[in-house]
Amino acid sequence: MATPGSSRASLPQDLRHEIQKLEEQFSTDAAKLKQITDRFISELDKGLSVEGGSIPMNPTWVMSFPDGYETGTFLALDMGGTNLRVCQITLTDQKSEFDIIQSKYRMPEELKTGESDELWEYIADCLQQFVDSHHADKSTIEKLPLGFTFSYPATQHYIDEGVLQRWTKGFDIAGVEGENVVPMLEAALERRNVPIKLVALINDTTGTLIASAYTDTSMKIGCIFGTGCNAAYMENAGSIPKLAHMNLPPDTPMAINCEWGAFDNEHAVLPMTPYDILIDKDSPRPGQQAFEKMIAGLYLGEIFRLVVLDLHNKEHMFLNQDMSAFKKPYSMDSSFLSAIEEDPFENLQETYDLFNKMGINSTNPELELIRRLAELIGTRAARLSACGVAAISKKKGYKTCHVGADGSVFNKYPHFKARGAQALREILDWPEKTNPRQEDPIEILAAEDGSGVGAALIAALTLQRVQEGNLAGILHLENFK
Ligand code: BGC
């Protein structure tokens, strides 16, 4: 069976040899994927144990799925890798319906590696602007409950705290790792007198899980395949040995933010190429996020850049061409690879133009190699992602379910969904479909808005459970009155 979106054409001998080498390096056959999935399952278990492992498996204190009848008005703040978004969400009386108003703010690149204070001041400014423009008379409003989507690994002893374990996605701001970020945000809001009370700090994956389950009760896993990659699912307290001291009834639901980007930090099973090793070595956090660095949008273009530069340096391609456009780390994002994979022309005219704009004149064989390389990088990312989904499904015994996925790679990268679905089929040994329109037993589908609606739902569910007397994992009870 042909792989979705694969291409092959005639090439001169020496580039063909290079392609063959790349194909070997980037290949992930079914046996390898099964081996990775098996290890993934045991690493998920290890993360839940008292000793812990590479995958953090963070309990989130999100303790139920929504039933569609949640109500109320909430603010949601999403501090993603690229944008900052502030929303006001009203969950209406109509089942699974909501109204949303939102503003997007650019996340200035320098903030990602700047000072902690600058980050919180900037975020508080955006929240203040939003509240000012939507609530003219601030003095009369009660404090608005906020769900803060902070999409980095955070330890949560409570739902209204988050101790940053480590920055990911290229962020590197001193003085935040090991600290609870909630008081940092609150202090900046207090300085401005913004009437907001934080009721839940959430991860984008947990938001995705809850927002997706709001409209589709078959949703069992929430995933992000974007600048970073990760997943969340609902566990039972009784299967989380590291929470045993809390004495929760064993069947209590507890959403787990896996932080699976850290899978195989010990480099035991992932088929790393020399380029992956280089990316890791030159990143702000070497040794961290091994899985993420092979899959997530932040890294796909960088892997491509490193391969092309290496082939040029070894005099296999782009001889005597000015490669200065390829010299700057992280100058190619995953949309560059998407454009190459989407080139509809047999002669790869659009790819030629893309390189031409960077001052590089490519020959046909070079274009063929570029296209194949983009396919290899994109296919490997999709197939490895499927191992994580398969691992959670196998661990939980889900034979059929829906998985809600969001993020730029999932939504925009060509063939990512089809390649992921094909890999799931190989890992889980599903029989061939008899009817092409038939659903797969486990389907990865586009999710609802996790960091907006999901954050609001989690705030609503938390207020609701506190009112019902479930005070587990609540630090500042006064904010829930
Ligand atoms: C972060 C996760 C997040 C994922 C997707 C990763 O780098 O560690 O917390 O869910 O990116 O945004």
Side-chain angles (χ1 to χ4, degrees):
M1 182 177 172
T3 6
S6 64
S7 70
R8 185 170 294 276
S10 55
L11 286 165
Q13 206 48 51
D14 77 325
L15 277 193
R16 170 153 319 136
H17 176 68
E18 291 314 310
I19 289 196
Q20 253 167 25
K21 249 169 63 186
L22 291 169
E23 280 172 344
E24 279 157 29
Q25 287 176 321
F26 283 85
S27 82
T28 47
D29 63 16
K32 185 71 192 170
L33 295 185
K34 285 182 177 173
Q35 184 202 5
I36 294 171
T37 304
D38 287 344
R39 170 121 187 150
F40 219 123
I41 299 172
S42 59
E43 289 297 305
L44 293 173
D45 286 335
K46 221 195 250 177
L48 294 173
S49 72
V50 177
E51 304 73 41
S54 286
I55 307 184
M57 303 296 277
N58 294 325
T60 63
W61 301 98
V62 173
M63 301 178 74
S64 62
F65 277 115
D67 61 11
Y69 293 103
E70 292 67 25
T71 54
T73 296
F74 304 90
L75 288 185
L77 163 68
D78 178 15
M79 182 189 152
T82 326
N83 287 315
L84 202 85
R85 187 166 63 116
V86 184
C87 320
Q88 178 171 301
I89 294 116
T90 301
L91 306 170
T92 68
D93 296 340
Q94 299 287 311
K95 186 169 192 281
S96 304
E97 299 227 339
F98 58 87
D99 295 324
I100 182 166
I101 44 177
Q102 55 180 326
S103 298
K104 264 194 187 163
Y105 306 86
R106 197 178 65 90
M107 185 79 182
E109 203 55 39
E110 26 341 321
L111 275 191
K112 298 183 185 171
T113 51
E115 298 293 319
S116 165
D117 278 353
E118 288 168 14
L119 173 75
W120 302 112
E121 295 299 320
Y122 180 77
I123 296 178
D125 269 344
C126 296
L127 275 166
Q128 183 175 27
Q129 268 187 42
F130 186 87
V131 173
D132 282 350
S133 58
H134 297 289
H135 296 273
D137 187 3
K138 282 196 298 177
S139 57
T140 60
I141 55 171
E142 278 190 37
K143 283 195 169 185
L144 299 157
L146 170 75
F148 175 23
T149 306
F150 181 71
S151 304
Y152 306 88
T155 307
Q156 294 190 279
H157 298 108
Y158 309 95
I159 195 162
D160 47 348
E161 79 159 16
V163 177
L164 177 63
Q165 293 165 334
R166 71 196 68 79
W167 285 118
T168 58
K169 298 183 272 205
F171 275 64
D172 190 10
I173 305 171
V176 190
E177 282 170 324
E179 302 293 329
N180 178 7
V181 298
V182 174
M184 300 187 186
L185 173 62
E186 281 175 341
L189 290 172
E190 264 157 41
R191 279 194 283 279
R192 288 169 177 70
N193 229 345
V194 193
I196 288 179
K197 53 179 188 183
L198 183 141
V199 295
L201 178 136
I202 71 159
N203 187 262
D204 50 1
T205 54
T206 319
T208 299
L209 171 68
I210 297 300
S212 301
Y214 188 49
T215 52
D216 175 356
T217 51
S218 314
M219 288 283 183
K220 299 291 183 223
I221 302 174
C223 294
I224 300 287
F225 302 113
T227 309
C229 85
N230 187 16
Y233 74 101
M234 200 62 88
E235 192 47 274
N236 312 310
S239 308
I240 313 174
K242 65 184 177 185
L243 280 191
H245 63 284
M246 298 294 302
N247 296 319
L248 299 167
D251 58 351
T252 308
M254 175 70 73
I256 297 291
N257 162 21
C258 301
E259 290 295 337
W260 77 17
F263 170 63
D264 207 35
N265 281 350
E266 59 286 0
H267 298 171
V269 275
L270 289 175
M272 291 181 81
T273 67
Y275 311 104
D276 300 305
I277 292 168
L278 203 57
I279 289 213
D280 183 45
K281 185 170 122 322
D282 292 340
S283 75
R285 296 290 178 279
Q288 302 292 348
Q289 303 297 94
F291 189 58
E292 175 161 277
K293 283 170 176 158
M294 299 170 83
I295 292 176
L298 179 61
Y299 304 101
L300 298 184
E302 182 63 0
I303 301 172
F304 178 85
R305 187 188 72 86
L306 290 174
V307 176
V308 170
L309 214 50
D310 183 43
L311 293 181
H312 169 75
N313 291 340
K314 291 183 177 146
E315 301 192 352
H316 294 305
M317 69 193 292
F318 296 146
L319 303 186
N320 306 318
Q321 302 263 351
D322 173 13
M323 295 300 286
S324 42
F326 267 76
K327 294 276 159 69
K328 189 165 170 256
Y330 292 91
S331 52
M332 261 138 227
D333 65 15
S334 51
S335 63
F336 187 83
L337 290 204
S338 300
I340 297 171
E341 284 225 51
E342 261 160 5
D343 187 343
F345 299 111
E346 200 53 44
N347 67 353
L348 299 173
Q349 183 63 45
E350 289 184 355
T351 310
Y352 176 88
D353 293 344
L354 209 58
F355 277 72
N356 202 32
K357 272 194 217 127
M358 298 190 295
I360 299 169
N361 209 349
S362 9
T363 64
N364 281 342
E366 285 163 347
L367 289 170
E368 289 294 338
L369 181 137
I370 289 165
R371 167 74 153 233
R372 185 70 187 126
L373 175 58
E375 279 168 12
L376 287 171
I377 295 171
T379 303
R380 186 184 70 163
R383 289 174 67 80
L384 291 180
S385 304
C387 296
V389 174
I392 296 180
S393 305
K394 276 184 122 174
K395 173 179 163 50
K396 293 301 293 173
Y398 297 143
K399 297 268 182 268
T400 65
C401 70
H402 287 167
V403 175
D406 208 343
S408 50
V409 172
F410 183 77
N411 291 321
K412 296 195 194 136
Y413 197 94
H415 317 297
F416 188 84
K417 292 174 201 162
R419 288 165 176 168
Q422 171 63 29
L424 264 187
R425 170 168 303 282
E426 290 172 33
I427 300 168
L428 298 173
D429 289 316
W430 293 329
E432 284 298 327
K433 284 185 197 179
T434 42
N435 168 358
R437 276 198 267 166
Q438 193 184 329
E439 266 205 354
D440 282 333
I442 297 175
E443 285 268 352
I444 309 182
L445 304 169
E448 298 298 330
D449 170 16
S451 47
V453 179
L457 279 165
I458 290 172
L461 289 169
T462 311
L463 285 164
Q464 201 175 309
R465 78 168 163 91
V466 169
Q467 271 160 21
E468 287 162 5
N470 178 356
L471 308 183
I474 307 289
L475 181 57
H476 291 292
L477 249 191
E478 67 277 12
N479 284 339
F480 294 81
K481 297 267 150 64

